[in-house]
Structure formats: C-alpha cells, structure tokens
Amino acid sequence: TLRTLFPYTTLFRSGFQSLAASGVTPFWQNLWQAGVLPFPGFAFYLTRFVNVSSAATVEPGGVLTFGYLNDSLYDGEINYVAIPEGLESYWVVPMDNVAVNGTNVTGVDVPMVAIDTGTTLIGGPSTVVKALYSAIPGAQAATGAYTGTVLFKAPLEVHWS
C-alpha cells in the first residue's frame, strides 16, 4: 500500500518534479520512463457516498490507475489536453469556460487552470470564483474565522464542467 511505501504521509504527490522540494522524480514519471506503462497517463475515480444509508463509517475512497483507463468507470469520450510546454509543475491546462449545472458562469477569459485532486479548495481570479459560487443555490460567504470561504449545504448536487 502507499502507506507502507510512504509511512510519513498519506498524501500521494502526483505533481511534476519541479514541485518536489527534494527534487525527486515522481513515482508516475519513473514508471513511464522505465517503460512499464502501456499508456502515458493515470486516472482518479473518486467515490462519493451521498444519502447511502448502508455506507459504513470508513469506505473505499476510489481508484487510482496508472498506465490504463478502466472504461467501466466512465461514460463517453475523454478529451485529452496537453500540458503546455514549460508549465510542467501543477497539472495546468487551458480552460474555455466554467459552467455550473449547464450554465456558463464566467464570461471571463481564464487562459489556464490547475487541476489538483489533493484539495477541496477552488482558487482563481476573484471574479470567476464569485461567479461560480453565485451559481450554486444557497451558497453564501462565510464570516469570522472562515472569511474568504463560501459555504453551502450538502448534500447538494452540482454539476461542474
């Protein structure tokens, strides 16, 4: 398990080598360079238990695959987006727009975004972030120690794209 391989952390670093304070080559990059992956990618499938009364306190959190895609875990076509040359740090990709529940909420040119499965935070230009949260029913700015964050009741089904 990853905990056995990396007992000092529960965080699996999937960023590029330029982000590593130690300069170490990331696990996924070593696998690719060694030629053991049939496909130059990896994928996350995150499990979410909403209104599932049979879910236990601890449930499997999902799947991480290296070198292949499990086509039983997604529908439709995958849109592959290249990382712009020279920006190999975070998983930075070009973005056309931000939509919530099928409605474009940005109307603002946001040329690049970072995709990070290791956080629940949304960062970006304040106009885009405000537009995004204003499209979520019941979302409101937090106060006090939580100033700068937005709260909304869960479970709430929101479709991002």
Side-chain angles (χ1 to χ4, degrees):
T1 67
L2 289 177
R3 187 162 246 343
T4 304
L5 294 171
F6 307 102
Y8 50 86
T9 184
T10 57
L11 180 65
F12 182 75
R13 302 299 308 185
S14 59
F16 286 86
Q17 185 175 6
S18 63
L19 291 177
S22 65
V24 68
T25 302
F27 176 73
W28 61 267
Q29 192 173 353
N30 278 325
L31 290 174
W32 176 247
Q33 290 171 344
V36 298
L37 299 179
F39 168 76
F42 57 91
F44 291 91
Y45 173 80
L46 303 177
T47 303
R48 182 172 185 200
F49 293 96
V50 177
N51 294 328
V52 179
S53 59
S54 62
T57 302
V58 176
E59 290 281 356
V63 177
L64 168 61
T65 60
F66 290 93
Y68 75 98
L69 296 174
N70 183 339
D71 59 10
S72 73
L73 299 176
Y74 67 92
D75 293 320
E77 298 297 315
I78 293 180
N79 180 24
Y80 293 95
V81 180
I83 304 296
E85 191 170 329
L87 293 179
E88 298 88 356
S89 59
Y90 292 99
W91 292 95
V92 178
V93 296
M95 181 174 72
D96 297 327
N97 66 26
V98 175
V100 176
N101 295 331
T103 302
N104 184 359
V105 298
T106 57
V108 178
D109 183 30
V110 181
M112 297 288 181
V113 294
I115 299 171
D116 187 352
T117 59
T119 184
T120 58
L121 303 174
I122 296 176
S126 61
T127 55
V128 173
V129 174
K130 285 178 185 175
L132 183 137
Y133 281 120
S134 69
I136 299 173
Q140 55 187 310
T143 59
Y146 297 102
T147 298
T149 62
V150 176
L151 303 174
F152 53 91
K153 291 186 177 187
L156 176 67
E157 191 166 322
V158 177
H159 299 279
W160 312 87
S161 63

